[in-house]
Amino acid sequence: GAGVSQSPSNKVTEKGKDVELRCDPISGHTALYWYRQSLGQGLEFLIYFQGNSAPDKSGLPSDRFSAERTGGSVSTLTIQRTQQEDSAVYLCASSLEGKRGTVAQPQHFGDGTRLSIL
Amino acid sequence: RKEVEQDPGPFNVPEGATVAFNCTYSNSASQSFFWYRQDCRKEPKLLMSVYSSGNEDGRFTAQLNRASQYISLLIRDSKLSDSATYLCVVLIYNQGGKLIFGQGTELSVKP
């Protein structure tokens, strides 16, 4: 079946421009995560959406970053006034929500958006 | 066929058990390999890189067989705190450093 879909797969833009990254999760998955991976770094959590609850934004690195999830499905990550340090692979993942106290439900990752800021 | 495949689990084991996770990858251009662990509602965290010669970090041993395109993770003397999902990850440089993740293997260690 269809997995997590992200677009665009690659984005090259000039410093100072705004960019918008899209994530379409697996149907029926209530949890959606954004991560980024910089060269040589591990995965860095950015933001987490679960159903209608307020998102966990604790990983957003600055106020230039924002995300929304419309209708509990598609999510958009927006980076305003991009900087060179924003260059990274931005990964989206979705999962079913596990029961409290159990191990995490497997996260299904998209292929990522490779963002390059010139 | 997925590019990185893992046993989905769950693996339910008692404390002190030895458990092995397997992973296969299909892209021969894969050049770097990692195991991540992921706790409930947390981001995946790098557990260890995997080297061709095999490497060990305490109770954890990782092996890579490039000819078979196979990666393994062995956990000895498992602890309750090892309960998590373990992600097999490969990095493909000729695709611009694209990270390919397995879907993860769930481990539950019971008292």
Side-chain angles (χ1 to χ4, degrees), chain A residues 9 30 32 41 59 66 69 98 116:
Chain A
S9 55
T30 55
L32 186 148
Q41 303 294 318
S66 63
R69 189 179 183 191
S116 300

Side-chain angles (χ1 to χ4, degrees), chain A residues 38-108:
Chain A
S38 304
L39 190 63
Q41 303 294 318
L43 282 168
E44 176 188 13
F45 168 75
L46 296 178
I47 188 168
Y48 161 65
F49 295 90
Q50 170 53 39
N52 295 321
S53 302
D56 177 354
K57 303 179 180 181
S58 60
L60 294 178
S62 79
D63 59 9
R64 297 186 295 104
F65 288 71
S66 63
E68 60 179 20
R69 189 179 183 191
T70 54
S73 181
V74 172
S75 177
T76 302
L77 177 69
T78 301
I79 309 173
Q80 295 177 308
R81 305 180 303 282
T82 52
Q83 303 295 314
Q84 287 186 330
E85 62 264 26
D86 299 335
S87 296
V89 176
Y90 288 82
L91 290 155
C92 177
S94 71
S95 74
L96 297 169
E97 175 67 351
K99 295 179 181 178
R100 184 179 295 279
T102 66
V103 296
Q105 288 288 327
Q107 289 191 12
H108 299 261

